Amino acid sequence: MTAPHDKTPPAPAANFIKNLVEADLAAGKHAQRHWAGHPGTAADHAAGPLDPARIRTRFPPEPNGYLHFGHAKSILLNFGLAEQFGGRCHLRFDDTNPEKEEQEYVDSIVDAVKWLGCSWEQGGETNLYYASNYFDWMAQFAEYLISAGHAYVDSQSADAMRANRGTLTEPGKDSPYRQRSVAENSALFARMRAGEFPDGAHILRAKIDMASPNINLRDPAIYRIRHATHHNTGDQWCVYPMYTFAHPIEDALENITHSICTLEFEDQRPFYDWLLERLAEGGLLQRPLPQQIEFSRLNLTYVVLSKRKLIQLVEEKHVEGWDDPRLPTLVGARRRGYAPAGFRLFAERIGVSKNDSNIDYVLFEDAMREVMNESDQRRVAVLDPLKLIIDNYPAGQVEECLAPNHPLHPELGQRPMPFSRELWIEGEDFQEVPEKGFRRLFPGNKARLKYGYVVECTGCDKDETGKVVAVRCTYLPDTKSGTPGADSVKVKGNLHWVSAAHAYPAQIRLYDRLFSVPAPGARREGDGPEVERNFLDDLNPASKTVITAQLEPALQNAGAEERFQFERHGYFVADRVDSRPGAPVFNRTVTLKDAWK
Ligand code: ATP
Ligand code: MG
């Protein structure tokens, strides 16, 4: 399959979820809910005041990996809606699965959400929750379902259960255990909880309809036996709720009004509603119940967002760790220098919809450029240094040239740049024999050293191999920028430079896209039926280049994570891991213009 390119227009895109929330608010749908001040059952909430939050949303990551750009879309959507409508957004760790979760992931998720500028501390509330703290309620609710005849313990083998589930075209078959009495089911579930059975011996299932056209309603499993230690509850439990059972309950306990998830959960919505209805009928959950709303997940060209593929990239060392600046993880984005505000602009522009789409990476980069152009101060860096010697400038003399910190913000002032007889310029700014249209330095041509003087190129020095090692010129003393004589000589070329004696030689990592094709691993036009592609074959071999550049002296004091526009080159950030005080190392975040078109 090749990826369709969806170049979304750069205006805020429609957001059907926002419209839905607005309609609910206008109808007063949630206005009568109470809030206990913490998650709870119907009784707990009834004892509290009216909920001060007009809506409640949540971001519910499973702490089993690092967050990626797709999660950012969900985070910004959920926290954004809460902010916009006087609501609250909860950060909830969906940690009901005992085997896969780790504190390291919890910490990194907390950091990433904060870094994006989102807060679960709103209106005097701190809404940070762990689903595993609801295990008592979940077990109690399971017991209620048993007592009401809505759940039963099944003792079929896993194979038999699978065989009896039916297919998309054939109905399933009732389990021989489906007619167990309430008393028998209660006793068995109690023994499951007590640890009397090994993993897989029995399972608790909702009793719905084995002939339902929706396979998810064919008596889905709700509790399983798993003798495992949980990172939060330790060995307290040997039965754990299934995700599809736990998630709606978590939402309801937390008074979530709009439970937003990605499209693959659409088929689960009938069970979500069925379950919450049964529990509300039993008086266990407050009404109105949360509503599940699905939107299409973010897919981006030139990256992979599947957890499995990201793990493979890290474990097989195709990248240098989860925070490798080339990875579309949020820890990687932070190291790369991408701006949280750029994520927000991007999310606004792509909007939310139910259509699967593949967003062009350029749209992401353009949002970043737009934000950083506004926010980042300018500095000068020479990435491919070539010596320029000004023969008529006195050796040992140093003067200051003033460079504006931000052309769009004169209030940010100017900084002095030392100017002297020997400078570094870009190698590409000199051509001994100029090609057509070349306007910078070649013998006999005049050009301006930006913020400094007009110089006239007189020639160059070469080594024995014929390689140019220095360019020679003379300067015109009356032409300094900012002086009355500046415009007396008209030139067409303008180049940047740093004083060789004052420059800071820094390591710079030039990052580029990790993959060289829009849809890594996908079949391309013209591929025969026999062609199988591996996404690793599409890795861009030039995704990282390390160089030593000459930077203007002010950059030597850049603090970790400080980002600048290096004139003509793009946006660069002082790496937060490898920089040392007085010795920053820089990462290229993005070039000034897209070079991939
Ligand atoms: P998995 O379930 O395979 O472990 P996941 O990416 O769904 O991976 P979760 O921790 O369950 O990870 O995701 C948390 C939230 O982020 C969910 O609500 C999910 O819908 C949302 N989310 C995940 N990937 C994307 C994506 N590509 N675009 C938008 N939202 C996403
Ligand atoms: Mg998930």
Side-chain angles (χ1 to χ4, degrees):
M1 214 179 74
T2 53
H5 274 241
D6 174 0
K7 195 131 204 234
T8 314
N15 180 333
F16 76 96
I17 299 180
K18 209 164 86 183
N19 299 342
L20 203 141
V21 171
E22 271 168 356
D24 286 348
L25 285 173
K29 180 175 169 190
H30 305 287
Q32 296 308 313
R33 291 167 317 127
H34 288 247
W35 170 240
H38 51 77
T41 61
D44 296 324
H45 287 309
L50 283 177
D51 192 337
R54 295 177 74 216
I55 60 166
R56 285 183 191 271
T57 56
R58 86 283 173 268
F59 175 64
E62 205 181 334
N64 64 352
Y66 287 87
L67 299 183
H68 55 60
F69 289 12
H71 294 114
K73 174 175 176 177
S74 174
I75 293 168
L76 293 168
L77 174 64
N78 281 294
F79 282 90
L81 285 168
E83 206 164 279
Q84 190 175 355
F85 291 107
R88 314 273 187 270
C89 181
H90 300 188
L91 174 60
R92 176 204 307 148
F93 288 104
D94 210 327
D95 60 349
T96 54
N97 187 346
E99 277 129 359
K100 300 192 295 185
E101 289 134 10
E102 286 177 34
Q103 189 61 36
E104 178 193 350
Y105 298 129
V106 169
D107 295 341
S108 106
I109 290 169
V110 161
D111 282 351
V113 174
K114 279 191 196 161
W115 178 72
L116 280 174
C118 297
S119 178
W120 50 87
E121 291 181 12
Q122 294 159 301
E125 298 177 9
T126 300
N127 292 300
L128 175 68
Y129 302 110
Y130 290 83
S132 58
N133 287 335
Y134 309 151
F135 281 159
D136 278 321
W137 279 318
M138 291 176 189
Q140 208 179 302
F141 291 1
E143 276 160 10
Y144 165 77
L145 291 178
I146 293 171
S147 71
H150 295 312
Y152 63 99
V153 175
D154 196 352
S155 310
Q156 297 183 94
S157 68
D159 285 345
M161 225 175 301
R162 204 172 305 119
N164 288 336
R165 195 163 45 212
T167 64
L168 285 175
T169 49
E170 278 171 55
K173 289 195 202 72
D174 284 5
S175 160
Y177 303 97
R178 200 173 194 263
Q179 297 310 327
R180 275 175 166 155
S181 68
V182 167
E184 199 182 346
N185 284 319
S186 296
L188 275 171
F189 188 58
R191 293 176 62 196
M192 284 166 67
R193 280 182 69 167
E196 290 187 27
F197 307 115
D199 290 1
H202 305 280
I203 197 157
L204 186 67
R205 297 177 76 175
K207 194 170 182 177
I208 310 180
D209 179 6
M210 287 305 292
S212 172
N214 183 340
I215 293 188
N216 299 299
L217 291 180
R218 293 181 190 168
D219 294 6
I222 58 181
Y223 253 98
R224 63 197 167 124
I225 303 171
R226 189 67 88 240
H227 292 269
T229 305
H230 186 281
H231 78 111
N232 179 24
T233 55
D235 293 323
Q236 194 188 338
W237 297 92
C238 63
V239 292
Y240 289 94
M242 304 300 285
Y243 177 83
T244 48
F245 173 78
H247 199 90
I249 292 175
E250 295 159 21
D251 286 342
L253 291 168
E254 291 181 21
N255 249 9
I256 299 303
T257 55
H258 302 86
S259 173
I260 301 165
C261 60
T262 40
L263 273 178
E264 67 270 24
F265 293 102
E266 198 164 22
D267 292 344
Q268 289 290 351
R269 180 158 24 103
F271 178 65
Y272 184 104
D273 291 338
W274 179 92
L275 175 65
L276 295 186
E277 269 303 322
R278 298 292 81 73
L279 296 172
E281 270 167 21
L284 297 169
L285 295 177
Q286 174 177 221
R287 292 181 188 276
L289 293 163
Q291 181 188 357
Q292 176 178 307
I293 304 159
E294 309 87 15
F295 70 103
S296 70
R297 58 197 302 124
L298 171 69
N299 294 305
L300 261 182
T301 60
Y302 293 98
V303 298
V304 293
L305 292 179
S306 126
K307 214 174 254 179
R308 183 180 59 77
K309 289 179 181 166
L310 292 173
I311 288 173
Q312 198 180 343
L313 287 169
V314 173
E315 285 184 350
E316 295 177 9
K317 301 205 180 338
H318 301 288
V319 293
E320 293 162 30
W322 283 103
D323 65 349
D324 189 299
R326 292 166 293 181
L327 277 188
T329 54
L330 295 182
V331 279
R334 181 168 178 181
R335 246 190 115 173
R336 175 78 172 249
Y338 287 134
F343 275 98
R344 279 197 292 280
L345 181 61
F346 174 64
E348 226 171 80
R349 284 183 177 165
I350 59 174
V352 287
S353 78
K354 280 186 174 286
N355 306 325
D356 262 320
S357 66
N358 213 352
I359 305 291
D360 198 320
Y361 201 74
V362 171
L363 219 67
F364 173 78
E365 291 180 322
D366 279 347
M368 288 296 162
R369 289 184 179 109
E370 200 168 316
V371 161
M372 301 189 303
N373 180 45
E374 179 61 36
S375 64
D376 292 5
Q377 291 207 10
R378 279 28 173 190
R379 293 291 184 271
V380 177
V382 176
L383 301 190
D384 177 26
L386 172 63
K387 194 59 85 55
L388 177 73
I389 300 169
I390 309 169
D391 284 311
N392 63 341
Y393 195 88
Q397 180 172 315
V398 180
E399 67 183 289
E400 279 182 353
C401 294
L402 290 174
N405 287 323
H406 201 305
L408 306 173
H409 294 289
E411 73 279 8
L412 291 175
Q414 298 178 311
R415 64 189 188 286
M417 292 206 311
F419 183 90
S420 65
R421 178 184 160 89
E422 295 198 6
L423 310 176
W424 293 112
I425 60 168
E426 292 295 343
E428 66 173 25
D429 285 349
F430 171 74
Q431 290 187 359
E432 192 176 12
V433 182
E435 59 195 26
K436 198 162 174 275
F438 185 75
R439 291 174 171 170
R440 298 200 271 268
L441 293 181
F442 54 88
N445 192 44
K446 292 195 188 76
R448 173 167 292 282
L449 297 172
K450 204 170 177 189
Y451 316 125
Y453 294 93
V454 171
V455 293
E456 177 168 359
C457 182
T458 52
C460 61
D461 302 345
K462 294 179 185 172
D463 65 12
E464 55 290 358
T465 68
K467 187 174 161 247
V468 175
V469 291
V471 178
R472 298 259 167 194
C473 69
T474 54
Y475 85 117
L476 283 57
D478 293 336
T479 58
K480 191 171 181 184
S481 297
T483 66
D487 292 330
S488 60
V489 183
K490 295 274 177 237
V491 293
K492 292 195 174 126
N494 210 329
L495 48 152
H496 68 272
W497 51 272
V498 295
S499 166
H502 304 87
Y504 164 54
Q507 188 197 91
I508 299 201
R509 284 82 72 100
L510 301 176
Y511 289 110
D512 204 339
R513 294 184 186 174
L514 185 56
F515 293 95
S516 47
V517 300
R523 300 165 62 83
R524 318 234 179 93
E525 239 171 65
D527 276 356
E530 73 294 348
V531 176
E532 292 267 350
R533 288 195 188 274
N534 177 346
F535 79 108
L536 296 173
D537 295 339
D538 292 326
L539 280 166
N540 173 8
S543 60
K544 177 182 181 183
T545 312
V546 180
I547 60 168
T548 300
Q550 298 288 349
L551 312 186
E552 69 166 274
L555 282 168
Q556 187 158 7
N557 300 317
E561 293 197 78
E562 243 190 296
R563 201 185 46 238
F564 302 93
Q565 185 195 100
F566 290 177
E567 292 189 33
R568 269 172 72 192
H569 292 305
Y571 299 91
F572 292 73
V573 71
D575 187 78
R576 61 195 286 254
V577 177
D578 299 329
S579 293
R580 297 288 166 267
V585 163
F586 289 86
N587 300 331
R588 182 170 68 198
T589 309
V590 66
T591 52
L592 282 185
K593 287 199 187 83
D594 179 31
W596 281 79
K597 276 174 192 152

XYZ file of all heavy atoms in Angstrom, residues 100-147:
401
model
N 3.569 -5.528 32.130
C 4.376 -4.741 31.196
C 4.791 -3.364 31.701
O 5.499 -2.649 31.012
C 3.584 -4.545 29.889
C 3.229 -5.847 29.197
C 2.713 -5.597 27.785
C 1.404 -4.844 27.784
N 0.824 -4.699 26.446
N 4.325 -2.977 32.879
C 4.445 -1.571 33.220
C 5.624 -1.255 34.128
O 6.000 -2.026 34.980
C 3.135 -1.100 33.840
C 2.067 -1.042 32.769
C 0.751 -1.655 33.188
O 0.590 -1.959 34.363
O -0.111 -1.817 32.310
N 6.189 -0.095 33.924
C 7.376 0.270 34.688
C 7.362 1.733 35.087
O 6.848 2.579 34.377
C 8.631 0.028 33.838
C 8.978 -1.436 33.695
C 10.169 -1.648 32.785
O 11.070 -0.777 32.783
O 10.157 -2.659 32.059
N 8.017 1.998 36.233
C 8.094 3.358 36.752
C 8.808 4.294 35.776
O 8.444 5.460 35.633
C 8.831 3.331 38.101
C 8.799 4.641 38.855
C 7.387 5.090 39.198
O 6.519 4.264 39.506
N 7.134 6.390 39.104
N 9.818 3.780 35.102
C 10.570 4.584 34.140
C 9.631 5.226 33.106
O 9.770 6.385 32.740
C 11.572 3.663 33.434
C 12.394 4.326 32.364
C 13.141 3.312 31.483
O 13.172 2.108 31.817
O 13.684 3.751 30.455
N 8.640 4.447 32.674
C 7.701 4.965 31.677
C 6.755 5.989 32.301
O 6.403 6.989 31.684
C 6.905 3.818 31.057
C 7.761 2.810 30.328
C 7.645 1.454 30.585
C 8.688 3.226 29.369
C 8.430 0.524 29.914
C 9.470 2.305 28.699
C 9.344 0.956 28.974
O 10.111 0.042 28.303
N 6.337 5.706 33.547
C 5.465 6.655 34.245
C 6.162 8.018 34.315
O 5.595 9.051 33.966
C 5.122 6.148 35.666
C 4.457 7.237 36.492
C 4.228 4.905 35.591
N 7.412 8.011 34.738
C 8.165 9.269 34.890
C 8.299 9.988 33.550
O 8.139 11.205 33.462
C 9.570 8.997 35.439
C 9.524 8.425 36.851
O 8.473 8.579 37.507
O 10.522 7.822 37.283
N 8.600 9.237 32.525
C 8.825 9.896 31.243
C 7.522 10.446 30.671
O 7.510 11.478 30.000
C 9.557 8.955 30.280
O 8.691 8.470 29.302
N 6.400 9.780 30.949
C 5.101 10.275 30.479
C 4.740 11.581 31.206
O 4.304 12.554 30.594
C 4.011 9.196 30.660
C 4.251 8.047 29.673
C 2.612 9.789 30.480
C 3.421 6.793 29.907
N 4.962 11.589 32.516
C 4.708 12.804 33.300
C 5.518 13.970 32.720
O 4.992 15.065 32.471
C 5.062 12.565 34.787
C 5.250 13.873 35.529
C 3.975 11.729 35.457
N 6.791 13.725 32.473
C 7.660 14.775 31.917
C 7.168 15.252 30.561
O 7.155 16.448 30.276
C 9.085 14.237 31.713
C 9.854 14.190 33.016
O 9.342 14.733 34.012
O 10.949 13.600 33.025
N 6.781 14.313 29.717
C 6.393 14.662 28.344
C 5.113 15.497 28.338
O 4.997 16.464 27.576
C 6.209 13.393 27.509
N 4.160 15.133 29.174
C 2.891 15.875 29.207
C 3.148 17.304 29.711
O 2.651 18.278 29.146
C 1.836 15.146 30.075
C 0.583 15.989 30.238
C 1.495 13.790 29.457
N 3.979 17.422 30.744
C 4.339 18.757 31.262
C 5.075 19.553 30.196
O 4.841 20.739 30.021
C 5.261 18.617 32.474
C 4.558 18.331 33.762
C 5.578 18.508 34.898
C 5.082 17.874 36.172
N 6.176 17.636 37.125
N 5.999 18.879 29.521
C 6.808 19.564 28.505
C 5.909 20.144 27.411
O 6.152 21.245 26.923
C 7.825 18.580 27.909
C 8.658 19.169 26.827
C 9.656 20.089 26.957
C 8.558 18.894 25.418
N 10.178 20.397 25.722
C 9.530 19.680 24.769
C 7.739 18.039 24.661
C 9.706 19.653 23.378
C 7.917 18.011 23.284
C 8.892 18.818 22.666
N 4.843 19.413 27.072
C 3.920 19.933 26.061
C 3.099 21.108 26.594
O 2.326 21.717 25.849
C 2.977 18.831 25.577
C 3.552 17.856 24.546
C 2.547 16.741 24.268
C 3.914 18.573 23.242
N 3.240 21.397 27.861
C 2.554 22.554 28.435
C 1.177 22.216 28.983
O 0.355 23.100 29.191
N 0.917 20.933 29.202
C -0.395 20.532 29.707
C -0.307 20.259 31.200
O 0.713 19.780 31.694
C -0.873 19.275 28.987
S -1.096 19.564 27.223
N -1.401 20.568 31.900
C -1.387 20.387 33.337
C -2.647 19.697 33.827
O -3.753 20.059 33.431
C -1.233 21.735 34.041
O -1.262 21.520 35.440
N -2.473 18.709 34.693
C -3.597 18.033 35.323
C -3.928 18.708 36.647
O -4.742 18.223 37.396
C -3.256 16.550 35.519
C -1.928 16.354 36.186
C -1.688 16.319 37.519
C -0.651 16.216 35.538
N -0.335 16.166 37.748
C 0.330 16.090 36.548
C -0.257 16.184 34.196
C 1.691 15.950 36.267
C 1.097 16.048 33.928
C 2.052 15.922 34.940
N -3.259 19.821 36.921
C -3.625 20.609 38.103
C -4.400 21.817 37.614
O -3.834 22.766 37.090
C -2.362 21.038 38.857
C -1.689 19.848 39.490
C -0.429 20.199 40.270
O -0.202 21.395 40.515
O 0.291 19.264 40.624
N -5.710 21.731 37.738
C -6.561 22.812 37.235
C -7.643 23.086 38.267
O -8.175 22.145 38.876
C -7.252 22.383 35.915
C -6.324 22.156 34.742
C -6.985 21.270 33.677
O -7.382 20.144 33.933
N -7.101 21.798 32.473
N -7.995 24.338 38.434
C -9.105 24.705 39.312
C -8.949 24.139 40.718
O -9.931 23.715 41.328
N -7.715 24.120 41.228
C -7.517 23.627 42.587
C -7.575 22.112 42.711
O -7.524 21.573 43.815
N -7.682 21.413 41.593
C -7.700 19.943 41.646
C -6.407 19.383 41.076
O -5.811 19.982 40.203
C -8.846 19.388 40.774
C -10.226 19.805 41.217
C -11.301 19.282 40.250
O -10.972 18.471 39.357
O -12.453 19.704 40.394
N -6.025 18.242 41.603
C -4.907 17.510 41.005
C -5.462 16.196 40.488
O -5.819 15.317 41.271
C -3.815 17.243 42.053
O -3.367 18.513 42.546
C -2.631 16.517 41.436
N -5.581 16.101 39.178
C -6.225 14.915 38.616
C -5.216 13.980 37.948
O -5.187 13.824 36.739
C -7.312 15.336 37.621
C -8.476 16.022 38.319
O -9.121 15.426 39.181
N -8.738 17.265 37.966
N -4.388 13.403 38.796
C -3.415 12.411 38.325
C -3.804 11.085 38.968
O -3.835 10.989 40.198
C -2.011 12.825 38.754
C -0.893 11.837 38.446
C -0.653 11.736 36.948
C 0.394 12.242 39.141
N -4.135 10.098 38.154
C -4.674 8.858 38.709
C -3.997 7.617 38.151
O -3.418 7.644 37.066
C -6.184 8.789 38.438
C -6.930 9.964 39.025
C -7.500 10.941 38.212
C -7.030 10.111 40.412
C -8.161 12.034 38.751
C -7.690 11.206 40.966
C -8.252 12.163 40.133
O -8.896 13.242 40.685
N -4.125 6.559 38.942
C -3.641 5.238 38.522
C -4.839 4.300 38.509
O -5.491 4.118 39.548
C -2.606 4.719 39.510
C -1.303 5.492 39.457
C -1.149 6.687 40.152
C -0.243 5.025 38.687
C 0.042 7.397 40.094
C 0.945 5.737 38.613
C 1.078 6.915 39.319
O 2.253 7.624 39.249
N -5.102 3.700 37.361
C -6.250 2.797 37.268
C -6.137 1.646 38.259
O -7.145 1.121 38.728
C -6.379 2.272 35.838
N -4.908 1.269 38.594
C -4.750 0.139 39.528
C -5.284 0.465 40.917
O -5.522 -0.443 41.714
C -3.280 -0.280 39.605
O -2.478 0.813 40.014
N -5.488 1.740 41.219
C -6.096 2.083 42.505
C -7.598 1.790 42.524
O -8.241 1.941 43.545
C -5.861 3.562 42.841
C -4.405 3.808 43.226
O -3.723 2.893 43.687
N -3.931 5.025 43.031
N -8.136 1.416 41.384
C -9.581 1.137 41.305
C -9.872 -0.363 41.335
O -11.004 -0.779 41.106
C -10.175 1.718 40.007
C -9.859 3.174 39.737
C -9.795 3.643 38.427
C -9.660 4.096 40.774
C -9.517 4.983 38.143
C -9.377 5.437 40.488
C -9.305 5.863 39.180
O -9.030 7.182 38.895
N -8.859 -1.195 41.576
C -9.079 -2.642 41.514
C -10.193 -3.112 42.452
O -10.962 -3.996 42.107
C -7.784 -3.402 41.829
C -6.802 -3.468 40.681
C -5.457 -3.719 40.921
C -7.222 -3.307 39.352
C -4.541 -3.807 39.872
C -6.309 -3.393 38.301
C -4.968 -3.637 38.568
N -10.284 -2.519 43.655
C -11.349 -2.935 44.580
C -12.719 -2.696 43.972
O -13.591 -3.552 44.010
C -11.257 -2.142 45.893
C -10.211 -2.731 46.835
O -10.125 -3.981 46.886
O -9.491 -1.958 47.495
N -12.884 -1.499 43.408
C -14.175 -1.175 42.794
C -14.475 -2.119 41.623
O -15.588 -2.592 41.463
C -14.173 0.277 42.281
C -14.441 1.278 43.360
C -15.365 1.180 44.363
C -13.790 2.538 43.520
N -15.323 2.304 45.145
C -14.365 3.169 44.655
C -12.784 3.214 42.832
C -13.972 4.423 45.098
C -12.394 4.465 43.276
C -12.974 5.066 44.397
N -13.446 -2.365 40.830
C -13.667 -3.215 39.665
C -14.112 -4.616 40.068
O -15.023 -5.187 39.477
C -12.412 -3.274 38.808
C -12.114 -1.939 38.129
S -10.570 -2.019 37.218
C -10.362 -0.294 36.780
N -13.472 -5.157 41.110
C -13.846 -6.503 41.559
C -15.267 -6.492 42.127
O -16.071 -7.404 41.876
C -12.849 -6.991 42.605
N -15.558 -5.422 42.860
C -16.904 -5.273 43.417
C -17.946 -5.199 42.287
O -19.008 -5.798 42.357
C -16.880 -3.937 44.171
C -17.790 -3.756 45.319
C -17.504 -2.329 45.870
O -16.361 -1.999 46.247
N -18.527 -1.480 45.859
N -17.616 -4.482 41.246
C -18.552 -4.344 40.119
C -18.713 -5.686 39.403
O -19.810 -6.032 38.945
C -18.051 -3.292 39.113
C -18.100 -1.874 39.633
C -18.549 -1.584 40.915
C -17.711 -0.805 38.814
C -18.597 -0.271 41.393
C -17.758 0.506 39.277
C -18.189 0.780 40.570
N -17.637 -6.438 39.321
C -17.729 -7.763 38.701
C -18.670 -8.646 39.524
O -19.501 -9.375 38.976
C -16.347 -8.395 38.601
N -18.554 -8.547 40.849
C -19.445 -9.330 41.716
C -20.891 -8.908 41.535
O -21.799 -9.737 41.526
C -19.021 -9.161 43.180
C -17.903 -10.120 43.520
C -17.096 -9.709 44.751
O -17.522 -8.768 45.471
O -16.044 -10.339 44.971
N -21.068 -7.611 41.384
C -22.438 -7.145 41.141
C -22.987 -7.755 39.849
O -24.123 -8.230 39.796
C -22.508 -5.610 41.070
C -23.817 -5.186 40.458
C -24.998 -5.217 41.200
C -23.889 -4.825 39.110
C -26.217 -4.911 40.613
C -25.100 -4.511 38.512
C -26.260 -4.559 39.268
O -27.466 -4.286 38.687
N -22.168 -7.730 38.780
C -22.645 -8.277 37.498
C -23.017 -9.751 37.654
O -24.023 -10.213 37.107
C -21.583 -8.113 36.406
C -21.296 -6.685 35.941
C -20.176 -6.690 34.893
C -22.546 -6.017 35.351
N -22.223 -10.491 38.429
C -22.542 -11.904 38.675
C -23.894 -12.004 39.385
O -24.785 -12.749 38.972
C -21.439 -12.573 39.534
C -20.129 -12.659 38.740
C -21.889 -13.963 39.997
C -18.924 -13.109 39.580
N -24.057 -11.202 40.414
C -25.283 -11.303 41.211
C -26.519 -10.930 40.405
O -27.603 -11.427 40.649
C -25.177 -10.424 42.457
O -25.253 -9.059 42.066
